[in-house]
Amino acid sequence: MIFGIDLGTTNSSIGIFDGQNRTVRLADHLDRVLIPSAVAETKQGEIVVGQTAIDIITVDHKMGARFFKRSIGTDSKFPVGSQNFDAVELSALVLQKLKDVAASFFNEAVKDVVISVPAYFNNIQRTATIAAAKSAGLNAIRLINEPTAAALAYSLQETESDAHIVVLDIGGGTFDISILEKFDDVMEIHASGGDNFLGGEDFTLVLLELIVSKFQLQKLSQENYGLIYKFAEKLKHNLNAQDEIEDVLTIGSEQKTITVSRQEFENAAKPLIERIQTPIMRTLRDANLKKGDITHVVLVGGASRMWFFKKLATSIFGLLPSTHIDPDIVVTHGAAMQAILVGENRSLIDKVMTDVSPFTLGVSVARQINDSHYEEGIFSPIIQRNQTIPLSRVETYSPIHDRQENMELEIYQGESMKVANNLKLGKISIPIEKKPATEEQIHVRFTYDISGVLEVEATVESTGQIFRELLNKNLDTTELDDINARFEKLANLKRHPKDQEENLALILKAERLYEEHIDYRDILVNVIDEFKRALATQEPEAVERARSILTEQLRLIEET
Ligand code: AMP
């Protein structure tokens, strides 16, 4: 079984194909399919994930972390109450939660997953996502770009053949755009792009600042940031349906009546709205298409519900966007479809679906200015952006100096001529024989796999020696220890309310069955007592054992 996961900035969810051409998103015991991507610490020092974490953060934002997906692949630390986590660890906790949700539906272990990532995620962010999955005990067999997943969900089901579809995906923290073509049964991504630092949260912050300055709440906002944020978030949603909103903000004993109009919000958000247009135009250019060539506009992500986003999409393309698949679920849907296709017929899906490299990838070289002068740090692209992946390209380089003993191959991602402006992905040090520079060559091969992860291979011409590096900042040998350490750290965390909530739900279910089935009352009393005794020990293994006995017993009774 392979599950599809949408690991979102704001919410995450897990789904599976049910075999009848339908994706089932799995809900937790409270029937919630969207699990907030939030982690918090309770007063008792226990780690909680999801809605419970949001509830804690709303009261005291120092007790938890959200929006950490934006920092995945960086060294940033997030304080969560008395503890500190990085974004990989926090993402791993969310993934663990999703794994638990899925595990409650099936009797087999949840292991293989397809995870969606923003198309604009760079190599480091992608490998960090894979590391988070590993830390959660999951095997990410494939990453799929979020807009690609959305397009997959739409195009296989919804559109006729020969369509040019643009997918605009604006979630909590990122904005992605993909342009694809569907012809016969083939779907080809022509180009993708986006802005990694632009999402619904930025709009909430704009509204928050508007409220704070309009109603002079500067003093109040320092202490009550979480509350005002939540208020702004609610207002942002409600403004989709009303021209002006009046609402009461209650902070302790203080009450403030707040009125904000759509126009005020739209004006304040103008710089953000303008920023959305730049990557759209760039991606159209990369795809060699004009606005008029687009036949379908698909909106994805919670923030695409904002009225001015729809207005912008309509005015750019002169088309009303298709919105009939819930933008919250479409990515999970696509990831689960991809999961079934990868699992059952890899060659089929690779033919049906092509994706592109979102960035240019290359190495740092020196350019000779005159006999003795070199300009260093020049970017030499090997794979240009928006090439169909998987793909492999080779370029050949020579040492600068005679009798050089080493060549430092520095690998970069980005679009600037100067490497200083691009993102460094890694470095390989290649020993070479001392020779005249003109007699040595290094062939550098870049291979970009279907998940958008890069492998670099350098072959020394004179010796035939090969140096290979998977540019997994988080997955190379030294950092594998990190993953194991992370895995241990997460396994040893004191986790609880998931269990408590889940356990409570299980007890409630058992009590309901007790009311319904007179014949099984004795058995039920026994297993419920057994379960409560196990809970009292607070020993995870004992709880787990008792939980599975009770679950199995309830299943048997339900089947009678
Ligand atoms: P996602 O990561 O796709 O779940 O998107 C989450 C973002 O969508 C958050 O910034 C939400 O505030 C925003 N969002 C969700 N629903 C709405 C809505 N009805 N109106 C405006 N923004 C929304």
Side-chain angles (χ1 to χ4, degrees):
M1 250 191 310
I2 308 174
F3 295 83
I5 289 182
D6 173 8
L7 184 61
T9 309
T10 321
N11 294 306
S12 297
S13 69
I14 184 162
I16 189 150
F17 229 73
D18 75 349
Q20 283 150 17
N21 218 15
R22 237 165 37 90
T23 304
V24 179
R25 291 199 322 158
L26 306 173
D28 69 4
H29 58 284
L30 294 178
D31 211 26
R32 291 179 300 220
V33 283
L34 288 181
I35 306 291
S37 307
V39 176
E41 190 187 60
T42 63
K43 287 205 177 80
Q44 293 74 35
E46 292 153 336
I47 289 298
V48 291
V49 179
Q51 189 54 48
T52 326
I54 296 279
D55 296 341
I56 294 175
I57 292 167
T58 305
V59 179
D60 183 355
H61 68 97
K62 292 191 287 300
M63 292 307 286
R66 299 180 70 189
F67 310 120
F68 36 81
K69 177 173 163 182
R70 287 178 162 187
S71 303
I72 199 157
T74 69
D75 294 328
S76 305
K77 289 279 182 195
F78 292 81
V80 172
S82 64
Q83 312 185 51
N84 268 311
F85 295 103
D86 63 22
V88 167
E89 290 164 340
L90 294 168
S91 303
L93 285 164
V94 173
L95 288 168
Q96 260 179 4
K97 172 91 183 178
L98 296 173
K99 186 177 159 189
D100 290 344
V101 166
S104 68
F105 283 81
F106 301 97
N107 283 330
E108 55 188 276
V110 178
K111 186 104 192 112
D112 291 335
V113 291
V114 169
I115 302 179
S116 62
V117 291
Y120 220 59
F121 251 23
N122 64 42
N123 209 64
I124 293 170
Q125 292 164 314
R126 282 169 198 266
T127 51
T129 304
I130 294 171
K134 272 194 189 276
S135 308
L138 291 169
N139 175 29
I141 54 167
R142 170 105 167 237
L143 302 181
I144 179 170
N145 291 333
E146 284 163 10
T148 306
L152 188 59
Y154 258 98
S155 99
L156 291 190
Q157 291 186 359
E158 305 293 327
T159 60
E160 63 281 11
S161 216
D162 297 334
H164 275 115
I165 308 167
V166 56
V167 182
L168 303 174
D169 176 359
I170 181 154
T174 52
F175 171 52
D176 276 347
I177 159 165
S178 282
I179 297 175
L180 52 126
E181 185 176 358
K182 188 187 175 201
F183 49 97
D184 300 329
D185 276 336
V186 178
M187 205 165 87
E188 192 176 314
I189 310 281
H190 280 311
S192 62
D195 188 331
N196 240 347
F197 291 91
L198 179 62
E201 197 212 339
D202 298 291
F203 289 89
T204 310
L205 291 177
V206 161
L207 194 52
L208 183 144
E209 279 162 25
L210 178 70
I211 299 167
V212 168
S213 70
K214 187 172 170 191
F215 298 94
Q216 276 117 43
L217 303 177
Q218 284 80 355
K219 252 201 174 139
L220 270 181
S221 77
Q222 282 164 13
E223 291 277 296
N224 304 285
Y225 187 83
L227 274 176
I228 303 182
Y229 185 93
K230 200 173 170 193
F231 183 82
E233 179 78 17
K234 189 172 113 203
L235 223 55
K236 179 179 83 169
H237 287 220
N238 292 342
L239 275 170
N240 287 326
Q242 270 171 271
D243 279 343
E244 191 173 84
I245 301 265
E246 185 180 300
D247 202 348
V248 178
L249 170 65
T250 309
I251 298 175
S253 56
E254 276 204 59
Q255 293 208 320
K256 288 248 176 201
T257 303
I258 307 282
T259 45
V260 180
S261 72
R262 272 190 178 198
Q263 201 52 50
E264 283 174 301
F265 180 28
E266 193 168 340
N267 288 345
K270 223 177 206 113
L272 294 179
I273 298 170
E274 275 163 16
R275 251 174 77 192
I276 290 176
Q277 303 183 45
T278 313
I280 297 181
M281 295 310 166
R282 190 174 52 219
T283 314
L284 267 173
R285 266 197 309 279
D286 281 353
N288 277 327
L289 290 173
K290 298 194 183 53
K291 293 186 252 180
D293 296 328
I294 302 298
T295 57
H296 294 78
V297 179
V298 171
L299 300 187
V300 183
S304 71
R305 293 200 179 90
M306 288 186 299
W307 80 95
F308 46 71
F309 192 78
K310 287 188 190 153
K311 199 167 88 180
L312 179 71
T314 310
S315 77
I316 292 179
F317 296 103
L319 288 170
L320 276 179
S322 329
T323 45
H324 47 290
I325 302 187
D326 179 350
D328 279 338
I329 69 163
V330 67
V331 171
T332 317
H333 205 93
M337 281 169 91
Q338 174 75 89
I340 196 94
L341 292 164
V342 171
E344 292 196 342
N345 196 337
R346 191 172 200 125
S347 59
L348 172 76
I349 185 60
D350 287 346
K351 232 184 269 150
V352 168
M353 181 87 188
T354 63
D355 212 332
V356 290
S357 55
F359 298 99
T360 301
L361 300 158
V363 295
S364 174
V365 296
R367 190 164 53 200
Q368 190 160 15
I369 306 290
N370 58 37
D371 275 357
S372 58
H373 206 85
Y374 289 88
E375 186 184 357
E376 298 205 3
I378 303 297
F379 186 46
S380 165
I382 296 180
I383 291 180
Q384 301 284 2
R385 73 164 184 255
N386 283 324
Q387 305 292 305
T388 301
I389 57 170
L391 91 162
S392 195
R393 289 267 154 79
V394 183
E395 286 287 336
T396 299
Y397 300 94
S398 299
I400 304 176
H401 306 293
D402 290 339
R403 300 180 58 75
Q404 208 173 300
E405 287 179 38
N406 231 314
M407 256 176 91
E408 299 288 334
L409 199 64
E410 291 188 350
I411 297 128
Y412 285 85
Q413 162 190 300
E415 309 305 325
S416 170
M417 261 171 68
K418 296 200 171 103
V419 295
N421 299 330
N422 294 335
L423 177 74
K424 186 170 170 182
L425 297 177
K427 185 168 93 172
I428 313 182
S429 202
I430 301 161
I432 50 175
E433 295 190 351
K434 289 188 191 169
K435 287 176 167 223
T438 50
E439 288 178 24
E440 186 62 288
Q441 286 189 320
I442 308 274
H443 307 290
V444 181
R445 174 177 290 280
F446 275 20
T447 305
Y448 212 50
D449 78 6
I450 196 76
S451 291
V453 173
L454 178 67
E455 188 188 76
V456 179
E457 188 185 273
T459 310
V460 182
E461 169 76 26
S462 63
T463 61
Q465 259 189 307
I466 296 176
F467 298 83
R468 202 173 277 130
E469 185 102 356
L470 194 61
L471 279 192
N472 284 357
K473 188 168 171 272
N474 297 290
L475 290 182
D476 67 16
T477 38
T478 43
E479 306 224 8
L480 255 182
D481 294 341
D482 269 9
I483 289 185
N484 291 337
R486 274 202 184 106
F487 190 77
E488 292 253 303
K489 175 175 171 186
L490 300 186
N492 289 330
L493 281 178
K494 235 166 111 190
R495 298 181 57 202
H496 133 87
K498 164 193 88 69
D499 294 332
Q500 263 214 352
E501 279 179 288
E502 191 177 338
N503 297 336
L504 196 62
L506 202 59
I507 292 172
L508 288 175
K509 184 172 170 184
E511 288 173 355
R512 180 174 55 76
L513 289 179
Y514 178 93
E515 287 172 20
E516 288 168 14
H517 297 272
I518 300 169
D519 296 348
Y520 294 104
R521 287 191 167 168
D522 288 347
I523 297 178
L524 279 167
V525 167
N526 270 335
V527 282
I528 293 174
D529 278 356
E530 194 70 18
F531 185 51
K532 286 184 178 167
R533 270 197 293 279
L535 286 180
T537 67
Q538 293 194 33
E539 282 174 20
E541 277 177 17
V543 172
E544 194 54 55
R545 218 176 310 122
R547 184 163 44 218
S548 64
I549 292 172
L550 180 56
T551 309
E552 179 61 13
Q553 193 63 59
L554 300 186
R555 189 183 65 78
L556 288 174
I557 295 175
E558 272 181 318
E559 280 177 4
T560 55

